[in-house]
Amino acid sequence: MSQIFNALSRALRDLFKFKVFWIMVWPMLAASILWLLLGILFWSTFSEWIAMGLTGVGVQNWLENLEPEWIAAGIQSIIHWILFIPLVMITSLIITAVFAMPALVNLVASSYYPGLERERGGSISGSLVNVLIAVSIFSLIWFVTLPLWVLGLGVIVPFVAAAYLNQQLFRYDALSEHANREEIKALLVSDRLSLWSLGLLTGMVQFIPVLNLFAPVFAALAFIHFELACLKNIRSFSGVKINS
């Protein structure tokens, strides 16, 4: 656990670096603009989908019979925004994983692990496949666990989903530049429990207002710190020379 908390504390410290600020801002900004445009262009379609979902859980009929009408309209608008914010967060996480990770990896590596040799065992195609798997299984988690909301256990779903998404999105790209293929496979298998724990802890930040604005980059930095520290350790134990 100490390695996890070291990664979190270093990630928190790095958030205040000037170089990180723009990397932190633009994925969130891009995701917000994207979903705002989609919301404007496809508002009626999204509204129909939301109405279908509310009908499925028995809420839509209640809203239609609610008086006065402006209260029902207000509740529906709130539901739209409740859905909008997670979509922005998820999209921002994906943008950070795909486009911002190289800059963040270079920043962390140059500051903390300048002697760690770059084996470049990952690839762009591997990163894209990893993102597709992450988004697909993340969506499947939500779909499969829908009955839990009816049973009153749905509160655990967002945390499990966030933990999965974070660890799946960032663990590969954190290592792809420095580790070789064998090291990537070994670390992803041996550190599975720690990666899930780190995914859960960084995922919880996404549910805290204001702090969730920093969540994508904070999660990325935490995984980079954790994985590069683990990589440095296994190379030290295996006798691989690390340049000073």
Side-chain angles (χ1 to χ4, degrees), residues 167 171 185-197:
Q167 61 90 29
R171 63 183 188 176
K185 291 178 181 178
L187 285 170
L188 295 187
V189 171
S190 63
D191 294 330
R192 188 171 296 169
L193 180 59
S194 295
L195 291 170
W196 269 90
S197 299

Side-chain angles (χ1 to χ4, degrees), residues 96-165:
T96 300
V98 175
F99 299 105
M101 280 296 279
L104 292 172
V105 168
N106 286 332
L107 186 148
V108 171
S110 62
S111 299
Y112 298 90
Y113 309 97
L116 197 61
E117 187 176 352
R118 299 183 183 230
E119 297 282 347
R120 295 179 173 84
S123 63
I124 295 175
S125 60
S127 296
L128 293 175
V129 169
N130 190 58
V131 169
L132 290 174
I133 293 172
V135 174
S136 299
I137 297 182
F138 174 81
S139 303
L140 186 62
I141 289 173
W142 277 98
F143 179 76
V144 171
T145 55
L146 282 176
L148 292 179
W149 291 97
V150 178
L151 298 173
L153 301 175
V155 68
I156 67 172
V157 175
F159 298 102
V160 173
Y164 170 78
L165 186 64

